Amino acid sequence: MTTKKLITLAAAAAVLGGLAVVSSNSKKLKTPSLTGKPVLKTLDLSEILRIEVSDNGEKTLALESTGEGWVMKSLYDYPADIVKIRENLLALSDLKIGQVATGKKLDHALVVDLQGASGKSLATLRLGEKYMREATGQMAMYGGGAYPSGRYVATEGDTVYLVTETLDAFDGDPKSWTETQIASVPRTGIVTAEYTVDGETLKMENKDGVWTLEGLGENEELDTFKLHSVNSTLGNINFNTIADPALTEEQTGMTTGVVFKVTLASGEAYTAKIGAAAGADRYFNLSASFTPTGTDEAADAQATERINAFNAKSGKWTYLIPAYSADNMTKRRADVVKAKEEEPVSSE
């Protein structure tokens, strides 16, 4: 083969090689990586008026924006927490593709449907199982097992993505969408506490931080260890769920249940009713009242408004609270009174 022909072939090979590079680069430009791209591309949070989560066609969670705010339709229209609504919707809006799960299928998925006016679906997201990551380092050393660090999701097509968020709130637990604290009664202001159990009423008074009980025998005294939680019993009480409003007081056990009442120096009073057991929980209702104790009309008006707002939001519901929380409100005389301890006799 002559030198001229070799040069011609080399030039042709170079041209073909260049075309291959151009072709390869062209393909890369046409199919950019999806990593880091939003899962839900056009989601306007301001248009969302209803959130529904379904499991195999059955609704497990439903929230709706009403004229009085967001409510949980799947929990008897109990008020939802707007802060949690925003947090959970922002989690969807900010959801980014971690990687494309090639060959992955979501055989059983929760369907999240975000709806606008007139129930129009604005976006739909399918949630598959969580991605479990094996513990490493000190976590593994101390017995830590696999933990969720992401989730498989899909939109309208068959392509499945792996994202770094677990999106637990959409699994159906209403506590991820509402404030579960029923009341926060200030412990420092309580001056009386009253228990009524099976017709027996126990009245105690708080004098300068020390609980007293009228009618103690000469050889009796209050068991202060068992009374340490009286002030804080209603300070941070949370519910597990809401009872069906259709249940009667006979069905919840309220008609024959326990009554626990505390009064504050300000004139505010909170009355709790504890009903029957329901599994590991007990039925519970809390209402408030106010009796002015001074002559400050402005302060009295504020207190009245505060009490009315409490009763409108929390007082009308029957809750299910943990049984151990209810136990602190079911004291009898025998529970808090003990035999007086004899003083040690001096050896001198």
Side-chain angles (χ1 to χ4, degrees), residues 1-304:
M1 183 177 295
T2 64
T3 301
K4 184 177 180 180
K5 288 183 177 180
L6 286 173
I7 292 173
T8 302
L9 289 173
V15 171
L16 291 173
L19 290 173
V21 170
V22 171
S23 176
S24 176
N25 289 336
S26 176
K27 288 180 179 179
K28 289 180 180 179
L29 290 173
K30 291 179 180 178
T31 57
S33 173
L34 293 176
T35 301
K37 300 294 183 182
V39 175
L40 299 173
K41 299 176 183 178
T42 56
L43 184 60
D44 186 348
L45 299 185
S46 65
E47 294 183 358
I48 299 174
L49 300 177
R50 185 178 176 91
I51 305 167
E52 288 186 357
V53 180
S54 301
D55 184 0
N56 198 27
E58 181 179 349
K59 292 178 185 177
T60 58
L61 183 70
L63 303 104
E64 186 174 293
S65 177
T66 70
E68 298 180 354
W70 279 84
V71 298
M72 304 192 66
K73 302 299 293 183
S74 53
L75 199 63
Y76 312 110
D77 284 355
Y78 190 78
D81 186 343
I82 187 60
V83 174
K84 293 185 178 183
I85 294 280
R86 288 171 179 164
E87 288 177 352
N88 293 329
L89 288 180
L90 280 172
L92 294 184
S93 179
D94 296 338
L95 203 60
K96 300 295 191 298
I97 298 171
Q99 67 182 67
V100 177
T102 306
K104 179 73 176 178
K105 292 185 178 180
L106 301 185
D107 295 325
H108 181 80
L110 296 176
V111 178
V112 180
D113 189 20
L114 306 177
Q115 301 174 7
S118 303
K120 177 184 177 182
S121 181
L122 303 174
T124 301
L125 183 68
R126 290 181 290 140
L127 306 181
E129 71 270 26
K130 295 180 175 70
Y131 174 75
M132 306 300 292
R133 185 183 297 276
E134 292 297 329
T136 58
Q138 289 187 344
M139 187 182 292
M141 185 184 303
Y142 291 104
Y147 61 95
S149 66
R151 192 161 194 165
Y152 293 102
V153 303
T155 53
E156 67 279 354
D158 294 328
T159 303
V160 176
Y161 308 116
L162 178 60
V163 298
T164 57
E165 291 76 8
T166 55
L167 303 172
D168 297 331
F170 297 91
D171 288 333
D173 187 352
K175 287 180 283 188
S176 297
W177 299 89
T178 188
E179 175 56 61
T180 60
Q181 187 179 65
I182 303 171
S184 181
V185 179
R187 58 181 299 170
T188 55
I190 297 176
V191 292
T192 67
E194 183 177 313
Y195 303 84
T196 301
V197 184
D198 292 336
E200 175 190 340
T201 298
L202 177 70
K203 295 182 179 181
M204 298 191 305
E205 187 175 356
N206 188 347
K207 296 182 178 179
D208 299 324
V210 179
W211 285 102
T212 62
L213 175 64
E214 186 177 347
L216 280 177
E218 183 178 346
N219 297 317
E220 294 180 323
E221 64 181 357
L222 285 175
D223 191 337
T224 55
F225 178 78
K226 293 181 179 179
L227 290 174
H228 74 280
S229 63
V230 174
N231 296 52
S232 58
T233 296
L234 296 176
N236 184 23
I237 189 161
N238 293 268
F239 68 82
N240 283 333
T241 189
I242 306 296
D244 186 343
L247 293 175
T248 65
E249 288 197 341
E250 286 76 14
Q251 290 174 307
T252 59
M254 292 297 187
T255 53
T256 56
V258 175
V259 177
F260 173 67
K261 180 180 180 179
V262 296
T263 303
L264 280 63
S266 62
E268 296 179 25
Y270 294 84
T271 302
K273 292 183 178 180
I274 301 95
D281 298 329
R282 290 188 69 171
Y283 291 104
F284 176 83
N285 174 265
L286 184 65
S287 59
S289 61
F290 174 65
T291 302
T293 58
T295 57
D296 190 335
E297 294 184 359
D300 290 345
Q302 290 179 354
T304 300

